[in-house]
Amino acid sequence: MEKREELYAGKAKSVFRTDDPDRFVLVFRDDTSAFDGERKEQLSRKGMVNNRFNAFIMEKLEAAGVPTHFEGLLSDTETLVKKLDMIPVECVVRNVSAGSLCRRLGVEEGQELSPPTYELFLKNDTLHDPMVNESLAVTFNWASETELVHMKELTYKVNSVLKTLFDDAGMLLVDYKLEFGRSGTDIVLGDEFSPDGCRIWDKETRKKMDKDRFRQGLGDVIETYEEVGRRLGINFD
Ligand code: TMP
Ligand code: ASP
């Protein structure tokens, strides 16, 4: 496999073409952004930590029967993935109230949400990722009804696998965002799963262990990501 030219640079990752038309290389950079790219910083080791974190989670999900684009780690900051036709809708499940849910609905942070909620957001920084729904997604051809059903099923399946995984390691999976794409007729989990795209709290102290540390200026961002990883059994050395 040969890495070729850069196709696209996102806020924290870049995508490179390879000599295989069906495989891309994802490069996890040290860039960190929040508030739809309004705040950006470089955090040393972040690319490596998120790359390994994502590989660990994607392997757990594959093993549990969730199809993912993950093919294998290539280096500290590079991962080989299947090429997907990405669906521009982000799927969010929440087990505990936090973030935009609290702002939108005036709900207090930290309430258990039973059953867990499911929301869709349009992936569009300029519009600040507005909340959408299935009807809008079908009308604007972002995804078909069948695809949306499948995305919802897979997003909840991820919850059942990861809630237990984090719980067993003394952490609470508060919420998370997933992105899916098409590979032929299959719906496949794409993008990444790392502390950048979810909320994780310590079960006892409720210490924030995810990107809210960056968003809220709490400090020790990458040190805390590494602590989450170590508790799950990931080795960052
Ligand atoms: P929210 O509370 O800002 O709506 O976010 C819910 C969860 O989804 C939180 O863990 C952050 C994640 N998320 C992203 O990582 N990127 C996004 O663009 C959105 C909308 C959510
Ligand atoms: N969407 C990510 C966040 O909520 C990144 C960004 O907004 O720049 O932090």
Side-chain angles (χ1 to χ4, degrees):
M1 201 282 307
E2 192 184 289
K3 188 172 158 193
R4 299 241 167 112
E5 78 276 15
E6 186 176 69
L7 276 180
Y8 170 80
K11 294 191 291 284
K13 297 190 294 302
S14 302
V15 183
F16 288 77
R17 212 193 288 281
T18 69
D19 54 353
D20 178 345
D22 297 323
R23 304 274 184 283
F24 285 159
V25 174
L26 282 189
V27 176
F28 288 72
R29 308 193 313 268
D30 285 345
D31 299 315
T32 309
S33 93
F35 313 117
D36 304 313
E38 261 172 48
R39 219 177 108 210
K40 288 185 202 154
E41 251 176 67
Q42 289 251 320
L43 297 176
S44 162
R45 289 168 67 79
K46 173 174 184 266
M48 179 275 288
V49 169
N50 276 7
N51 187 40
R52 292 200 192 166
F53 195 105
N54 173 64
F56 175 88
I57 298 285
M58 289 282 169
E59 278 174 351
K60 291 280 179 208
L61 294 175
E62 277 282 354
V66 176
T68 79
H69 69 159
F70 181 79
E71 299 263 289
L73 277 175
L74 295 176
S75 74
D76 266 0
T77 55
E78 295 169 308
T79 283
L80 187 67
V81 296
K82 288 184 198 75
K83 176 182 175 179
L84 300 182
D85 170 25
M86 292 306 290
I87 294 169
V89 171
E90 305 181 330
C91 306
V92 171
V93 159
R94 300 178 199 264
N95 295 303
V96 177
S97 59
S100 76
L101 182 85
C102 298
R103 291 196 296 276
R104 252 182 294 127
L105 304 182
V107 174
E108 215 179 296
E109 182 179 270
Q111 289 184 41
E112 192 195 341
L113 301 171
S114 181
T117 60
Y118 180 70
E119 292 152 80
L120 300 177
F121 296 89
L122 178 65
K123 193 174 166 72
N124 185 320
D125 278 342
T126 320
L127 297 177
H128 303 292
D129 293 345
M131 192 173 172
V132 294
N133 59 28
E134 267 101 348
S135 162
L136 291 165
V138 171
T139 295
F140 290 108
N141 280 316
W142 300 323
S144 72
E145 256 175 64
T146 321
E147 287 171 339
L148 290 160
V149 168
H150 208 155
M151 286 156 67
K152 185 172 178 175
E153 271 170 20
L154 289 172
T155 305
Y156 275 118
K157 182 158 187 176
V158 167
N159 202 34
S160 66
V161 178
L162 296 188
K163 239 172 96 167
T164 312
L165 189 84
F166 282 100
D167 186 71
D168 289 346
M171 294 173 284
L172 200 56
L173 179 60
V174 170
D175 58 31
Y176 57 91
K177 178 266 302 179
L178 302 180
E179 294 181 30
F180 293 92
R182 307 175 184 95
S183 174
T185 53
D186 295 339
I187 292 293
V188 175
L189 178 62
D191 192 47
E192 70 180 271
F193 193 102
S194 75
D196 268 5
C198 64
R199 289 193 174 91
I200 303 157
W201 294 351
D202 179 87
K203 222 159 68 175
E204 300 302 324
T205 65
R206 300 219 152 190
K207 172 181 154 184
K208 293 180 177 174
M209 306 184 77
D210 52 71
K211 199 159 83 175
D212 273 349
R213 298 202 71 80
F214 177 73
R215 294 189 190 97
Q216 299 175 7
L218 301 175
D220 291 336
V221 180
I222 301 310
E223 292 80 356
T224 313
Y225 284 21
E226 287 184 273
E227 186 190 338
V228 175
R230 273 196 303 273
R231 286 199 202 178
L232 294 172
I234 305 171
N235 180 12
F236 295 112
D237 300 330

